[in-house]
Structure formats: structure tokens, C-alpha cells
Amino acid sequence: MVVGAGLGGCTLAYRLSCRGLRVLIVERGDFLCVPDRQPGDPIGIYHKSALAITNVIGGPTKFYGAAMYRFRDNDFLATEHEAGESPSWPIRYSDLEPYYCEAERVYRVHGSAEGDPTEPTHSITFPYPPLPHAPLVSKFVGSLRDTGTCVSDMPRALDYGPNGKCVLCPTCDAYYCRLDAKMDAETAALRPALSSGHVQLLTRAQCRRVLTSDNGQKATGALIERNGNQHTVHADVVAICAGVGPSARLLLESRSSRHPLGLGNSTQCVGRYYGGHTTGMIFPLLSLTTKLPGMHTKTFSINTYYNGAPGWPYPLGVIQAAGQIPFWEGEVVPWWKKWPARFVGERSIYCFYMTEALPTRESGFELSGNQIIGMRPPVQNTNTFKKLRLLAIDLFKRAGYRVVAPDHRSLWHTIGTVRFGRDPESSVLDPNCKVHDIDQLYVVDASVLPSAGAVNTGLTIAALALRVGDSIARVKFTGAN
Ligand SMILES: Cc1cc2nc3c(=O)[nH]c(=O)nc-3n(C[C@H](O)[C@H](O)[C@H](O)COP(=O)(O)OP(=O)(O)OC[C@H]3O[C@@H](n4cnc5c(N)ncnc54)[C@H](O)[C@@H]3O)c2cc1C
Ligand code: SF4
């Protein structure tokens, strides 16, 4: 049984189905209903609360930017940052490398290992070539390169190319694709899984608790609520893929006399080690007068500051193109800033810049008794983030652009709360993502990541899910862990 049809859950179900195992997916949400496209309508549908839409088949990937990056070698190692240490992973890049190759194939990732000094080794080249830049983006990238800035192609998961459905429209990042051309968890993984005949999907079914054997040593199924009724479902293996927050919550809410603190929580690590990316936006203006035409802008990134910069010994992060998102319509922009935000947004090829926010034992659930009453944020690398902003301003200015760089930050691509590790004292899961002290119970989604690096986390979640699928199949068929 797989709980949650998001990125981790759909990819795991896909892999298990390929291995010939029968899978039931229970998902609390349903397929997203969108209005039919009328002539002249844009392809993408924007939802100003896309960040809040998680309970749909495919999870937030129905709106994601499809930037599918491999973590860099150093992201798997303990790394010193300005505000503390980013922890070591229980596995290394080389352990995940074959699964990155497979995840890139499943999600049809377009990219190139050339021209990015931080790109780790690939045993197989990207399955598809990088996306072409729109003419204005090409000119913009050219002027950055002319001043010595190293600009690389962004790896993207789209059904683009001969016979592909994607037309590289302007409404992609943070939009729902009505051509079904975005390779999200549903289109890329769930559909082939369902078509295998091995996978059943139960929608509007919320998992309330995971059940264990009388001695508490193994998972035996789950209690599912659907249409107001509760049902017990038995399963040989339960994999929780409910995302950062809900997966940890489910473990806590499954407490029993054998596990009074919650499943996997004997060392009280569930709900802790919450991390992510501190993210800002920067606007290099291409024009002060006219609006830019609609175009697909999300094709490049600048990763040269990933591991530091001259005079800055700590990892800084990335600068990457955003799509043409009407972010000013969102709730985070107050009404009095909407007009200037729109003015600047419509005249620039704007970018995100992201720095790692560090997980600690204190970051994550704030509890009052058994109640989760809040979320303590990860530790920000404040000066590093400021430094990255200054470097980004400088490189766009050197290329000849006026720059607007609001001093605003958000936490994106969150990770942690059910991290995997070698030591049960400081982790919930073993290196195969099985709960340390309970058999047949796995977790695989963003919550298992011990750290977020500074590139988007999606491909790593997918690669881990493929690896966990193989681990479950191995235990099932050979009995060997
Ligand atoms: C606008 C936007 C853009 C993004 N762009 C990118 C990008 O370009 N690249 C990238 O790598 N990442 C991106 N992300 C982040 C990425 O989408 C998430 O990191 C990823 O989806 C997390 O995957 P997951 O498996 O942890 O959980 P999710 O994908 O969130 O899936 C969890 C699923 O579990 C279900 N669920 C929860 N609780 C229960 C329960 N009790 N019972 C049954 N079902 C349950 C939920 O409804 C959901 O479907 C973006 C996110 C947003 C919102
Ligand atoms: S760019 Fe391609 S995948 Fe993205 S919304 Fe447009 S058609 Fe869909």
C-alpha cells in the first residue's frame, strides 16, 4: 500500500508495478478538475494558491516548474555553512546515480551535462537534449556570457520534441498544463503504473493511521477513511508518501501501546530536522516601457556559486530562471505592491535565487502534548543569502541590465521531519527508508531528505522512490534486506 499519490508515491508505485508487485495507492485528494480550454485560452491554468494545493493526484507537481536536478556530490556529504553544518547522508551520490538516470528517463528530462561546472558525473547522458531558448532569452543569456558569467541549461521534465505534446508556452511554471505535456507525478509515473494492471488507485481516501502486528514489530495495513466511513485495509508493506508534514503526522497519529510516542519515534526524531531553500526573486529589466511578449523563459540557470565564491568560503546556491508567473496576483503580494510588482514582472526575465536553509534537531514540529501546534523554521544562512543576492545583482548589472531586487525571502522545497540515516538516535528511517524498528513500513517523499542542497529536490525524491521500490521488491522476493 502506498499512501499519497504525489511525487514520491506515484514514482514508487510505478517502480513496484515494473517489478510485478500489486499496489494499492490511497490518496486523500482527487483528480484536479479544470475548465475545458476555449479557443484563444492560454494552455496553463494559474492558481494563485498553487503552493497550497497539495491534495490532488500528482500533488503539487501538477503546478511545478519541472526543474529536475540531480543533487551535487557535496550535497551527500557533511558541509560547513555560515550558520552550521548541513548533515551527511547515509548514502552517497554514486549510490543514487543509477536511479537518477532512471528518474530522468521516466520524467523525460531535457538537459545537458556540458557547461555546468557543478553537474555531477552521469553514467548515461540526459535522455533528451536541452530545451531551446526563446529568442529574447537567448539574447539575454548571450549578454551574460559576454561578461564571463557561466550560464547553463536547466534540466526540465517536459514532453517536448518530435511527437511531444509540449509547445514551450509561456504558462508553465506554477501553472497546470492542459496539454498534459508537463511530466508531473501523474503523467510520468502514475499513468504507466495504472496501465500495467498491477496498480489500483483509491481517491478521496485519507489514511488515518498505520496498523502494526500485536507485537508492534511490523506494519500490517492501515485505517482508511472514505466518504465518512472507516475501513481497515491489510497490506504486506505500507509505504507512506504523504509529503513533508503529513508523513510525520501520520507516524505520530499511529501511536499504540507498543509505540506510545508514535511509529518510528522511540528516539523522538519524527517531526524534526526540517529544512529547505531560502528563496528570493530578482528582476533584470529588459525594458522600462514595453511589456515583454509571452514566452517560455525557464531554460537557464547560473550555478557557479554553488560551492562558494571568491572571498566567500561557504556554499551560496543557485540563480535560476523562473517562468512568466503572475505572482502579483498571489496572496503574498499586498494590494499596494501589486501594481509595481506587475510593472516590473512584465518587463523582466526574472529569476529565483536559492540558498540552503539548515535542518536542526529543533526545526520542525512544535508540539503541545500530542498536538502539533506549529512548525519551527530551519536555520537561515542569512549572510550567505544576502551575498548571493549581491552577486546576482552584480552579474545582471555587468551584463547591462537595470535590476530590481526586493529584500523578500520565502522557504521553498521543504524537506525533513522523517529523515533517513544510519543512526537510530538521530534518524527515523534506515538507509533503505524503512522505519528503523518496524519491518514492512517505509517512508519515501521529501520528508526523508536529510538536507535540501540548493537545487530543486524533485528528481532526488523520484530517484529515492525508485531505489526504495527495488529495496521493497528485493525483500519481497528474496527476504534479504
Ligand atoms: C508552484 C510549485 C512549483 C514547484 N516547482 C518545482 C520544480 O520546478 N522542481 C522541483 O523539484 N520541485 C518543485 N516543486 C516542489 C515539488 O512539487 C515538491 O517538492 C514535491 O511534490 C514533493 O513530493 P512528495 O512526494 O514529498 O509529496 P507530494 O508531492 O506533496 O505528495 C503527497 C501526496 O500525499 C497526499 N496525502 C497527504 N496525506 C495523506 C493521507 N493521510 N492519506 C492519503 N493521502 C495523503 C497528498 O494529497 C499528496 O497528493 C514545486 C512546488 C510548487 C508548489
Ligand atoms: S510549456 Fe509545455 S508542459 Fe509547460 S504548460 Fe506549456 S505546453 Fe505544457
Side-chain angles (χ1 to χ4, degrees):
M1 179 193 298
V2 169
V3 176
L7 185 52
C10 291
T11 313
L12 175 63
Y14 166 80
R15 188 61 158 197
L16 294 172
S17 71
C18 293
R19 296 282 176 255
L21 291 166
R22 286 176 54 224
V23 183
L24 172 71
I25 308 177
V26 292
E27 164 57 49
R28 67 180 173 186
D30 210 333
F31 290 95
L32 198 64
C33 265
V34 296
D36 285 340
R37 191 164 160 241
Q38 303 301 322
D41 278 358
I43 290 165
I45 296 187
Y46 178 66
H47 196 293
K48 57 186 180 188
S49 302
L51 281 170
I53 300 182
T54 51
N55 56 339
V56 292
I57 302 293
T61 65
K62 293 308 295 180
F63 291 91
Y64 83 152
M68 289 292 253
Y69 276 94
R70 295 179 178 213
F71 272 22
R72 282 37 193 154
D73 298 81
N74 282 353
D75 294 331
F76 294 81
L77 308 174
T79 311
E80 204 53 47
H81 285 249
E82 160 212 345
E85 191 183 73
S86 176
S88 173
W89 284 41
I91 58 172
R92 294 289 172 257
Y93 173 76
S94 55
D95 296 310
L96 211 50
E97 203 282 332
Y99 296 99
Y100 275 131
C101 294
E102 178 64 0
E104 282 166 351
R105 188 192 64 76
V106 173
Y107 283 86
R108 299 190 203 173
V109 179
H110 294 250
S112 164
E114 303 297 313
D116 182 346
T118 68
E119 187 68 43
T121 322
H122 285 231
S123 60
I124 304 175
T125 53
F126 279 97
Y128 299 91
L131 299 177
H133 298 309
L136 264 184
V137 175
S138 192
K139 204 170 154 217
F140 182 73
V141 167
S143 50
L144 286 163
R145 285 189 177 139
D146 287 346
T147 56
T149 299
C150 178
V151 185
S152 46
D153 295 306
M154 186 185 293
R156 300 284 309 288
L158 308 178
D159 181 19
Y160 178 77
N163 306 319
K165 294 184 197 150
C166 174
V167 295
L168 285 187
C169 75
T171 54
C172 190
D173 193 6
Y175 293 78
Y176 172 95
C177 175
R178 279 191 279 194
L179 294 187
D180 260 359
K182 192 184 280 187
M183 290 293 103
D184 56 45
E186 182 202 353
T187 51
L190 181 63
R191 286 186 197 167
L194 290 173
S195 69
S196 71
H198 294 298
V199 177
Q200 260 185 292
L201 171 66
L202 203 59
T203 58
R204 291 172 289 104
Q206 173 131 11
C207 180
R208 288 289 177 199
R209 51 188 285 128
V210 174
L211 306 171
T212 59
S213 54
D214 290 344
N215 62 10
Q217 286 173 1
K218 62 180 185 186
T220 55
L223 191 66
I224 306 299
E225 189 170 309
R226 194 162 190 253
N227 299 330
N229 299 316
Q230 294 204 336
H231 309 272
T232 298
V233 179
H234 299 283
D236 291 347
V237 173
V238 178
I240 304 176
C241 308
V244 174
S247 284
R249 179 187 286 268
L250 196 50
L251 289 172
L252 294 183
E253 289 178 350
S254 303
R255 64 180 70 80
S256 64
S257 55
R258 294 281 178 188
H259 298 278
L261 298 174
L263 302 185
N265 198 27
S266 53
T267 56
Q268 301 194 41
C269 291
V270 174
R272 296 174 187 267
Y273 303 104
Y274 177 55
H277 295 151
T278 311
T279 308
M281 285 176 87
I282 183 158
F283 302 83
L285 284 152
L286 269 66
S287 161
L288 280 183
T289 48
T290 44
K291 286 198 257 180
L292 301 187
M295 61 183 152
H296 194 93
T297 50
K298 201 175 178 71
T299 49
F300 68 92
S301 53
I302 299 161
N303 296 338
T304 34
Y305 303 128
Y306 204 80
N307 296 316
W312 199 264
Y314 304 112
L316 280 147
V318 298
I319 302 160
Q320 58 176 230
Q324 290 186 320
I325 308 170
F327 62 91
W328 50 86
E329 291 176 14
E331 287 129 15
V332 286
V333 180
W335 66 267
W336 53 275
K337 277 193 184 164
K338 284 190 190 296
W339 185 86
R342 181 175 188 155
F343 182 89
V344 168
E346 289 181 339
R347 286 158 181 78
S348 53
I349 293 182
Y350 45 90
C351 297
F352 302 128
Y353 59 104
M354 306 193 292
T355 293
E356 181 170 350
L358 301 173
T360 65
R361 194 158 172 98
E362 286 69 43
S363 61
F365 288 173
E366 198 179 334
L367 297 167
S368 170
N370 284 336
Q371 294 298 313
I372 302 162
I373 56 168
M375 205 71 172
R376 285 202 195 92
V379 173
Q380 311 254 344
N381 285 300
T382 307
N383 292 318
T384 305
F385 185 68
K386 281 185 188 160
K387 175 77 180 169
L388 185 60
R389 176 172 171 268
L390 291 178
L391 286 167
I393 293 172
D394 179 58
L395 64 86
F396 290 129
K397 278 192 173 166
R398 276 193 287 118
Y401 300 97
R402 289 169 206 259
V403 182
V404 176
D407 193 6
H408 179 269
R409 65 184 73 168
S410 316
L411 183 68
W412 282 12
H413 306 134
T414 54
I415 56 98
T417 65
V418 191
R419 75 175 182 177
F420 76 149
R422 294 198 176 273
D423 181 3
E425 291 300 318
S426 59
S427 59
V428 182
L429 312 170
D430 72 12
N432 291 325
C433 295
K434 185 187 82 61
V435 173
H436 279 299
D437 56 352
I438 304 177
D439 286 342
Q440 297 165 202
L441 180 58
Y442 293 78
V443 181
V444 62
D445 55 24
S447 59
V448 314
L449 272 57
S451 60
V455 285
N456 314 53
T457 48
L459 193 75
T460 300
I461 299 167
L464 275 172
L466 295 170
R467 184 172 178 270
V468 171
D470 279 2
S471 175
I472 291 173
R474 198 167 47 245
V475 175
K476 186 96 182 114
F477 292 127
T478 68
N481 265 307

